[in-house]
Amino acid sequence: YPPSTPRVLPKYKLLTFCAEPRTIRQMLKLMRFRDRKNFMKKYLRPLFKEGLLAMTDPRSPQSPKQRYVITKKGENFLANSAV
C-alpha cells in the first residue's frame, strides 16, 4: 500500500508515536478512540502480528504498567515509507 492509503496512515501514526514506550490510554487518546476492545482488534493486534509493535512486559499483558514500543522491524517500516 502507498503510505497515503487510509489503512497505512494510522499504522504510521501509531508506530511514530510509540518510538517512546506508551500506554494504551495514550494511544487511544492519540487516535481519538474510546472503545479499547475495538482499538486492540483493529490496530494493535495487527501491529503485533506483523512484528512492528511490542509490549514492554509481554508476561503481564493486563498490567497497568504495560507499555507498547516500536520494534526494529517497525523502525525499518517507518524508514522505508514516506508520508
Side-chain angles (χ1 to χ4, degrees), residues 40-66:
M40 289 288 291
K41 181 180 176 184
K42 190 172 182 178
Y43 294 104
L44 291 190
R45 286 191 189 129
L47 290 174
F48 293 144
K49 278 187 176 182
E50 291 179 56
L52 303 176
L53 196 67
M55 294 180 202
T56 55
D57 186 8
R59 293 173 293 162
S60 303
Q62 301 297 322
S63 170
K65 296 179 182 180
Q66 184 64 261

Side-chain angles (χ1 to χ4, degrees), residues 19-58:
E20 294 180 26
R22 304 291 185 164
T23 65
I24 191 151
R25 186 174 280 167
Q26 291 171 319
M27 290 187 284
L28 286 167
K29 187 175 179 180
L30 171 77
M31 301 299 289
R32 297 184 179 160
F33 261 76
R34 289 188 179 162
D35 184 359
R36 179 188 203 118
K37 186 176 178 180
N38 188 31
F39 178 74
M40 289 288 291
K41 181 180 176 184
K42 190 172 182 178
Y43 294 104
L44 291 190
R45 286 191 189 129
L47 290 174
F48 293 144
K49 278 187 176 182
E50 291 179 56
L52 303 176
L53 196 67
M55 294 180 202
T56 55
D57 186 8

